[in-house]
Amino acid sequence: MMKSMELLTRLREQRRLTDLDVHFAALMCRLAGEAPEELALAAALVSNSRGDGHVCMMLDDYGGRDPAAPGSAVQYRAPEAKAWGDLLHRFPVVGRPGEFCPLILDERGRLYLHRYWSYERALADQLLRLARMPNLPFDEASAISGLSRLFPDVGPGEARWQKLAAAIALLRPLSVISGGPGTGKTSTVVRILALMLEGAGGNPLDIAMAAPTGKAALRLQESVRRIKQNLPVAASVLETMPEEASTLHRLLGGRPDSIHFRHNRDTPLSLDVLILDEASMVDMALMAKLLQAMPTHARLILLGDKDQLASVEAGAVLGDVCGSLPGFSKTFSGQLQRLTGESVPAGEGAGSPLCDSIVELQHSFRFGSASGIGQMAQAVNRGDASRCLELLSDSALPDIRLLGGSVGYLAWAVTAYRSYFEAVAEGASVEVLLREFEQIRLLCAVRRGPRGVIEVNRLIEQSLEGAGLLHASRDWYDGRPVMILRNDYNLRLFNGDIGIFIKERGQVCFTGVDGEVRCVSPSRLPEHETAFALTVHKSQGSEFDRLLLLLPDRDTPLLSRELIYTGMTRARQEVTIAATEAVLRSSVERSLNRMSGLREALWGDVVQFR
C-alpha cells in the first residue's frame, strides 16, 4: 500500500487528483486485499474522470505514460493499455460488463464506476427500445393536411426542417429535435402538440412538459402560451393543449438529500407523451432515471442544441444521441417525403435504429445572414478562430465586439445595470424589476480565480457602489440579485433560480415555474450567492438581450468552443467578449470530449486500443 499511496500522494500534490480520488483508490485496494500501483492508479483516475464530467476513463489515454502533470520529471510510467487491462481483470474489484463489481472494465479499455456503467447501459437500452418500435398509427390524409396547415411555405428553406421534425414526431415513439438558438424548436413542438391532439380525435392524451431547471421550464411554458394563441386549430384543441412545464426533479418526484426519485421502473410516470426541453443540460444519471420511469407505451420528444456545453455532471447525452447525424434510412425518407411534400434525400442511416428519430433544424429565424452573432456562432462551431477574430473586428457588425483591457468589463457592468438600479430606486414593481434584471448578464467561464464568478461579483458590487447605485456594505441592499445553489423542495426553490431582494418587503422575490411571484425571507433561503455574474453553465436555459462573456486572462483546459458558443448564444441582440485574442483563439480551437460508451452503444462506432 505504501508504494502505491506515495504515487497517489504525489499526484494529489500536483492537483492531478483530489482527496476523494485518493480515498476511493485506497478503498479499492483494501477490498482487493492488495495495493499494486496499477490498481490504485486506475481507481484514482476513474474517480477523477467522473469528477471532470466523463462517464468512464480510457486506459489508452494513460497507458505507457506518466500520469503526472505535463513537464514534471517522469517518476512512474503506467503499463501499456492492453497489458494494464489484463492486469486489472485479476483483481476481484474489477469486473466485466454485467458483473457486480465496484469497477467495470469493458473490451474497449473503458473503465467505469459500476453505477455509471449501469446508467449508460440502461439509457442505451431504453433509447434503442424506443427507436426500434414500429411507427405509430396515424391517418395519413389528416397528417398531410395538418402539416401543410401548420407549416405553410414561408420562404425557401424556412419551413422545411420544422415540418420534417413534426412529421418525425408524429411517426416515431422517439424524436430528437436539435437546433441552435432561434431555429424554432419550441415553435415546432407546439405545432406537434396540436397535430397529436387533432389526431387523437377527442381522446385524452396525458402530455407532460419538463426542463432541467426552473428557468428553462418557465421559458418553455411562456413560449407555449404565446405561440398557441396564433395556431390555425380548433378551439377544442387549444383548450386541451398543456401549458404547464415542470422541472425534471419535480416531474420525477425528487427526494431531499437522495439520488433516488419517487417515479422509477417500478412506479412509472403516468403519461402518454413527454416533451423534454434543453436536453443538452441533462446528465447521464438523470437521463437514465427519466427513461426508466417512462411507461412503455409513452413517446418521448427531446429538444436541445447538440453543440452546447454538456451537462455539469457526467456525460454528454444529447451529443452522443445525435451522433454524427448520418441521415434517414431510404424507407423512412420516402415516408417523410409523402407526408411533407419535401425532397428528403436518404443518408447513410442504416446502421442504427436511431437514424430515423433525429433531425437538426438548420434555419435560424433569430440570427439572419447579416447577424454577427449568427456568423460567429457558426465559426466557433467550426473551430475557425481566425474567422471569429475577423468578425469581431468588423465595424459593420455592431452586435458583436471584442473588449480588451483588464477591467473594461466592470465599466460595461456599471452601464448595463444602471437602468435596473434606477428602476429599483424609483420603486418599480417586483414584476418589472425581475423582467428588467433578466435583460442583461455578465457570464464567466470559470467559478474561481481573478476572473471567476465569485471574485467578479464582488468587484461588480464595488463598482456599482462607486457609481452610487447601491450600498454594498450591507449584505441585503435593495435590488440585490441572488442565485440559489441548492434545491429546497419545501420552499420550491431550485439550483439556478434567481431572485431579487426588495428592501420594502424585506424579502427575496422569485418568479416560480407557475409564473407567479413568490417571496421568501433571506434567513430561510438555502445556499445562495450574488448573481450579477453567472458561469456559462448556470446560464444555460436563459436568454438575455445583452451580455458580456468574460474569459480568464490565460488559457485553461476548461475553455472550449462549446463554452464560447453556449455563452454567446444566450444573447438575443448584443454580445461583448472580454478576452485577449490569444485566449479566445485557443478556446475556439479546443473541443471538449466527454468519455463514454453511449455513442458506440447507440451507433456502433468502434473505439479500440490505439
Side-chain angles (χ1 to χ4, degrees), residues 149-150 189-199 202 207 209 223-244:
R149 173 169 31 90
L150 289 165
V189 86
V190 174
R191 288 163 170 80
I192 290 170
L193 286 174
L195 289 168
M196 288 180 177
L197 291 168
E198 287 180 344
I207 301 172
M209 301 191 300
S223 297
V224 171
R225 290 172 182 174
R226 183 185 71 254
I227 295 167
K228 66 180 284 188
Q229 301 305 319
N230 299 315
L231 292 184
V233 296
S236 59
V237 171
L238 293 178
E239 290 171 0
T240 56
M241 188 177 293
E243 293 184 348
E244 301 298 325

Short mmCIF file of all heavy atoms in Angstrom, two decimals, residues 149-150 189-199 202 207 209 223-244:
data_model
loop_
_atom_site.label_atom_id
_atom_site.label_comp_id
_atom_site.label_asym_id
_atom_site.label_seq_id
_atom_site.Cartn_x
_atom_site.Cartn_y
_atom_site.Cartn_z
N ARG A 149 -51.10 22.83 -43.12
CA ARG A 149 -51.77 23.98 -42.48
C ARG A 149 -50.88 24.63 -41.42
O ARG A 149 -50.82 25.86 -41.32
CB ARG A 149 -53.09 23.50 -41.86
CG ARG A 149 -53.80 24.55 -41.04
CD ARG A 149 -55.22 24.11 -40.66
NE ARG A 149 -55.35 22.67 -40.50
CZ ARG A 149 -55.16 22.02 -39.35
NH1 ARG A 149 -54.83 22.70 -38.26
NH2 ARG A 149 -55.33 20.71 -39.30
N LEU A 150 -50.20 23.82 -40.62
CA LEU A 150 -49.41 24.35 -39.51
C LEU A 150 -48.00 24.75 -39.92
O LEU A 150 -47.33 25.50 -39.20
CB LEU A 150 -49.36 23.32 -38.38
CG LEU A 150 -50.68 23.13 -37.64
CD1 LEU A 150 -50.65 21.87 -36.79
CD2 LEU A 150 -50.98 24.34 -36.77
N VAL A 189 -42.47 22.34 -31.59
CA VAL A 189 -43.08 21.37 -30.68
C VAL A 189 -44.51 21.77 -30.32
O VAL A 189 -45.37 20.90 -30.09
CB VAL A 189 -42.21 21.18 -29.42
CG1 VAL A 189 -42.51 22.21 -28.34
CG2 VAL A 189 -42.39 19.78 -28.85
N VAL A 190 -44.83 23.06 -30.30
CA VAL A 190 -46.21 23.48 -30.05
C VAL A 190 -47.11 23.00 -31.19
O VAL A 190 -48.24 22.53 -30.96
CB VAL A 190 -46.30 25.00 -29.89
CG1 VAL A 190 -47.76 25.46 -29.78
CG2 VAL A 190 -45.53 25.46 -28.67
N ARG A 191 -46.64 23.09 -32.40
CA ARG A 191 -47.41 22.60 -33.55
C ARG A 191 -47.51 21.07 -33.54
O ARG A 191 -48.52 20.50 -33.97
CB ARG A 191 -46.77 23.11 -34.85
CG ARG A 191 -47.00 24.61 -35.05
CD ARG A 191 -46.06 25.22 -36.09
NE ARG A 191 -46.48 26.58 -36.42
CZ ARG A 191 -46.21 27.64 -35.66
NH1 ARG A 191 -45.54 27.50 -34.52
NH2 ARG A 191 -46.62 28.85 -36.01
N ILE A 192 -46.46 20.42 -33.05
CA ILE A 192 -46.52 18.97 -32.90
C ILE A 192 -47.63 18.59 -31.91
O ILE A 192 -48.40 17.64 -32.14
CB ILE A 192 -45.16 18.41 -32.43
CG1 ILE A 192 -44.12 18.53 -33.55
CG2 ILE A 192 -45.28 16.96 -31.97
CD1 ILE A 192 -42.70 18.23 -33.11
N LEU A 193 -47.72 19.34 -30.82
CA LEU A 193 -48.78 19.08 -29.84
C LEU A 193 -50.16 19.21 -30.49
O LEU A 193 -51.05 18.39 -30.26
CB LEU A 193 -48.65 20.06 -28.67
CG LEU A 193 -47.51 19.82 -27.68
CD1 LEU A 193 -47.43 20.97 -26.67
CD2 LEU A 193 -47.70 18.50 -26.97
N ALA A 194 -50.32 20.26 -31.30
CA ALA A 194 -51.60 20.45 -31.98
C ALA A 194 -51.91 19.28 -32.90
O ALA A 194 -53.06 18.78 -32.92
CB ALA A 194 -51.56 21.76 -32.78
N LEU A 195 -50.93 18.80 -33.65
CA LEU A 195 -51.15 17.66 -34.55
C LEU A 195 -51.50 16.40 -33.77
O LEU A 195 -52.37 15.62 -34.18
CB LEU A 195 -49.89 17.43 -35.39
CG LEU A 195 -49.60 18.48 -36.46
CD1 LEU A 195 -48.18 18.30 -37.01
CD2 LEU A 195 -50.62 18.41 -37.59
N MET A 196 -50.84 16.18 -32.64
CA MET A 196 -51.13 15.00 -31.83
C MET A 196 -52.55 15.06 -31.28
O MET A 196 -53.27 14.06 -31.29
CB MET A 196 -50.13 14.90 -30.67
CG MET A 196 -48.73 14.49 -31.08
SD MET A 196 -47.65 14.40 -29.63
CE MET A 196 -46.13 13.82 -30.39
N LEU A 197 -52.93 16.22 -30.78
CA LEU A 197 -54.27 16.36 -30.21
C LEU A 197 -55.35 16.23 -31.28
O LEU A 197 -56.41 15.63 -31.04
CB LEU A 197 -54.38 17.69 -29.49
CG LEU A 197 -53.53 17.81 -28.20
CD1 LEU A 197 -53.47 19.24 -27.72
CD2 LEU A 197 -54.07 16.89 -27.12
N GLU A 198 -55.08 16.78 -32.47
CA GLU A 198 -56.03 16.61 -33.57
C GLU A 198 -56.15 15.13 -33.95
O GLU A 198 -57.24 14.62 -34.19
CB GLU A 198 -55.59 17.43 -34.79
CG GLU A 198 -55.77 18.93 -34.63
CD GLU A 198 -55.31 19.72 -35.85
OE1 GLU A 198 -54.58 19.14 -36.69
OE2 GLU A 198 -55.67 20.88 -35.97
N GLY A 199 -55.01 14.45 -33.99
CA GLY A 199 -55.02 13.04 -34.37
C GLY A 199 -55.66 12.15 -33.33
O GLY A 199 -56.12 11.04 -33.66
N GLY A 202 -60.25 13.69 -30.02
CA GLY A 202 -61.03 13.93 -28.81
C GLY A 202 -60.68 13.02 -27.65
O GLY A 202 -61.10 13.25 -26.51
N ILE A 207 -50.11 14.56 -21.51
CA ILE A 207 -48.87 15.14 -22.03
C ILE A 207 -48.18 15.91 -20.92
O ILE A 207 -48.80 16.74 -20.24
CB ILE A 207 -49.15 16.08 -23.21
CG1 ILE A 207 -49.86 15.33 -24.34
CG2 ILE A 207 -47.86 16.71 -23.73
CD1 ILE A 207 -50.36 16.22 -25.46
N MET A 209 -44.67 18.34 -19.95
CA MET A 209 -43.55 19.13 -20.46
C MET A 209 -42.60 19.39 -19.31
O MET A 209 -43.03 19.74 -18.20
CB MET A 209 -44.03 20.44 -21.07
CG MET A 209 -45.01 20.28 -22.22
SD MET A 209 -45.31 21.85 -23.10
CE MET A 209 -45.98 22.87 -21.78
N SER A 223 -43.38 30.28 -23.73
CA SER A 223 -43.37 30.18 -25.19
C SER A 223 -44.60 29.43 -25.70
O SER A 223 -45.22 29.82 -26.69
CB SER A 223 -42.10 29.46 -25.66
OG SER A 223 -40.94 30.21 -25.32
N VAL A 224 -44.95 28.35 -25.03
CA VAL A 224 -46.12 27.57 -25.44
C VAL A 224 -47.38 28.43 -25.37
O VAL A 224 -48.21 28.44 -26.30
CB VAL A 224 -46.27 26.30 -24.57
CG1 VAL A 224 -47.61 25.62 -24.84
CG2 VAL A 224 -45.11 25.34 -24.83
N ARG A 225 -47.55 29.18 -24.28
CA ARG A 225 -48.75 30.01 -24.12
C ARG A 225 -48.81 31.09 -25.18
O ARG A 225 -49.90 31.42 -25.68
CB ARG A 225 -48.74 30.64 -22.73
CG ARG A 225 -48.99 29.64 -21.61
CD ARG A 225 -48.79 30.27 -20.24
NE ARG A 225 -48.99 29.28 -19.19
CZ ARG A 225 -48.78 29.51 -17.90
NH1 ARG A 225 -48.36 30.70 -17.50
NH2 ARG A 225 -48.98 28.56 -17.00
N ARG A 226 -47.67 31.65 -25.54
CA ARG A 226 -47.65 32.71 -26.55
C ARG A 226 -47.92 32.16 -27.94
O ARG A 226 -48.73 32.69 -28.70
CB ARG A 226 -46.29 33.41 -26.53
CG ARG A 226 -46.19 34.59 -27.50
CD ARG A 226 -44.80 35.19 -27.53
NE ARG A 226 -43.83 34.32 -28.18
CZ ARG A 226 -42.90 33.63 -27.55
NH1 ARG A 226 -42.81 33.67 -26.22
NH2 ARG A 226 -42.05 32.85 -28.21
N ILE A 227 -47.27 31.07 -28.30
CA ILE A 227 -47.34 30.53 -29.67
C ILE A 227 -48.71 29.92 -29.96
O ILE A 227 -49.25 30.06 -31.06
CB ILE A 227 -46.21 29.50 -29.88
CG1 ILE A 227 -44.84 30.19 -29.80
CG2 ILE A 227 -46.37 28.81 -31.24
CD1 ILE A 227 -43.69 29.22 -29.70
N LYS A 228 -49.31 29.25 -28.99
CA LYS A 228 -50.56 28.52 -29.24
C LYS A 228 -51.70 29.46 -29.63
O LYS A 228 -52.64 29.05 -30.31
CB LYS A 228 -50.95 27.69 -28.02
CG LYS A 228 -51.31 28.50 -26.80
CD LYS A 228 -51.70 27.62 -25.61
CE LYS A 228 -53.09 27.05 -25.75
NZ LYS A 228 -53.53 26.34 -24.51
N GLN A 229 -51.63 30.73 -29.19
CA GLN A 229 -52.72 31.65 -29.46
C GLN A 229 -52.92 31.94 -30.94
O GLN A 229 -54.00 32.32 -31.37
CB GLN A 229 -52.48 32.97 -28.70
CG GLN A 229 -52.36 32.80 -27.20
CD GLN A 229 -53.57 32.09 -26.60
OE1 GLN A 229 -54.71 32.34 -26.98
NE2 GLN A 229 -53.30 31.19 -25.65
N ASN A 230 -51.87 31.77 -31.73
CA ASN A 230 -51.95 32.10 -33.16
C ASN A 230 -52.01 30.88 -34.07
O ASN A 230 -51.82 30.99 -35.28
CB ASN A 230 -50.74 32.96 -33.55
CG ASN A 230 -50.69 34.28 -32.79
OD1 ASN A 230 -51.72 34.95 -32.66
ND2 ASN A 230 -49.52 34.65 -32.29
N LEU A 231 -52.26 29.71 -33.48
CA LEU A 231 -52.30 28.50 -34.30
C LEU A 231 -53.64 28.37 -35.02
O LEU A 231 -54.70 28.62 -34.43
CB LEU A 231 -52.08 27.26 -33.42
CG LEU A 231 -50.70 27.08 -32.80
CD1 LEU A 231 -50.65 25.76 -32.05
CD2 LEU A 231 -49.60 27.13 -33.86
N PRO A 232 -53.64 27.93 -36.28
CA PRO A 232 -54.88 27.71 -37.02
C PRO A 232 -55.49 26.35 -36.69
O PRO A 232 -55.51 25.43 -37.51
CB PRO A 232 -54.42 27.78 -38.48
CG PRO A 232 -53.00 27.30 -38.45
CD PRO A 232 -52.43 27.75 -37.14
N VAL A 233 -55.97 26.21 -35.45
CA VAL A 233 -56.56 24.95 -35.00
C VAL A 233 -57.86 25.26 -34.27
O VAL A 233 -58.14 26.39 -33.89
CB VAL A 233 -55.61 24.18 -34.05
CG1 VAL A 233 -54.34 23.77 -34.79
CG2 VAL A 233 -55.26 25.01 -32.82
N ALA A 234 -58.65 24.24 -34.06
CA ALA A 234 -59.95 24.39 -33.40
C ALA A 234 -59.77 24.81 -31.95
O ALA A 234 -58.77 24.47 -31.30
CB ALA A 234 -60.72 23.08 -33.48
N ALA A 235 -60.77 25.50 -31.42
CA ALA A 235 -60.72 25.95 -30.03
C ALA A 235 -60.60 24.77 -29.07
O ALA A 235 -59.94 24.87 -28.02
CB ALA A 235 -61.97 26.77 -29.72
N SER A 236 -61.21 23.64 -29.42
CA SER A 236 -61.15 22.47 -28.55
C SER A 236 -59.72 21.95 -28.41
O SER A 236 -59.33 21.43 -27.35
CB SER A 236 -62.05 21.36 -29.10
OG SER A 236 -61.66 21.00 -30.42
N VAL A 237 -58.92 22.09 -29.48
CA VAL A 237 -57.52 21.68 -29.42
C VAL A 237 -56.72 22.61 -28.52
O VAL A 237 -55.92 22.18 -27.69
CB VAL A 237 -56.91 21.63 -30.83
CG1 VAL A 237 -55.38 21.41 -30.77
CG2 VAL A 237 -57.56 20.54 -31.66
N LEU A 238 -56.96 23.91 -28.66
CA LEU A 238 -56.26 24.89 -27.81
C LEU A 238 -56.59 24.67 -26.34
O LEU A 238 -55.73 24.82 -25.47
CB LEU A 238 -56.63 26.31 -28.22
CG LEU A 238 -56.16 26.78 -29.60
CD1 LEU A 238 -56.66 28.20 -29.87
CD2 LEU A 238 -54.65 26.72 -29.72
N GLU A 239 -57.83 24.31 -26.05
CA GLU A 239 -58.24 24.12 -24.67
C GLU A 239 -57.56 22.93 -24.02
O GLU A 239 -57.30 22.93 -22.82
CB GLU A 239 -59.76 23.94 -24.60
CG GLU A 239 -60.54 25.22 -24.91
CD GLU A 239 -62.03 24.97 -25.06
OE1 GLU A 239 -62.43 23.79 -24.91
OE2 GLU A 239 -62.78 25.92 -25.33
N THR A 240 -57.30 21.90 -24.81
CA THR A 240 -56.68 20.69 -24.25
C THR A 240 -55.16 20.70 -24.33
O THR A 240 -54.51 19.81 -23.78
CB THR A 240 -57.20 19.44 -24.98
OG1 THR A 240 -56.96 19.58 -26.40
CG2 THR A 240 -58.69 19.26 -24.74
N MET A 241 -54.58 21.71 -24.99
CA MET A 241 -53.12 21.77 -25.11
C MET A 241 -52.50 22.15 -23.77
O MET A 241 -52.90 23.14 -23.16
CB MET A 241 -52.71 22.79 -26.19
CG MET A 241 -51.22 22.76 -26.50
SD MET A 241 -50.79 23.90 -27.84
CE MET A 241 -51.63 23.12 -29.23
N PRO A 242 -51.53 21.38 -23.28
CA PRO A 242 -50.93 21.69 -21.98
C PRO A 242 -50.13 23.00 -22.04
O PRO A 242 -49.59 23.37 -23.07
CB PRO A 242 -50.00 20.50 -21.74
CG PRO A 242 -49.65 20.00 -23.11
CD PRO A 242 -50.90 20.22 -23.93
N GLU A 243 -50.09 23.69 -20.91
CA GLU A 243 -49.33 24.93 -20.81
C GLU A 243 -48.30 24.88 -19.68
O GLU A 243 -47.34 25.64 -19.70
CB GLU A 243 -50.27 26.11 -20.54
CG GLU A 243 -51.20 26.44 -21.69
CD GLU A 243 -52.03 27.68 -21.39
OE1 GLU A 243 -52.03 28.13 -20.22
OE2 GLU A 243 -52.68 28.19 -22.32
N GLU A 244 -48.49 23.98 -18.72
CA GLU A 244 -47.61 23.94 -17.57
C GLU A 244 -46.39 23.07 -17.85
O GLU A 244 -46.50 22.01 -18.45
CB GLU A 244 -48.34 23.38 -16.34
CG GLU A 244 -49.58 24.17 -15.95
CD GLU A 244 -49.25 25.59 -15.55
OE1 GLU A 244 -48.18 25.81 -14.95
OE2 GLU A 244 -50.06 26.49 -15.85
#
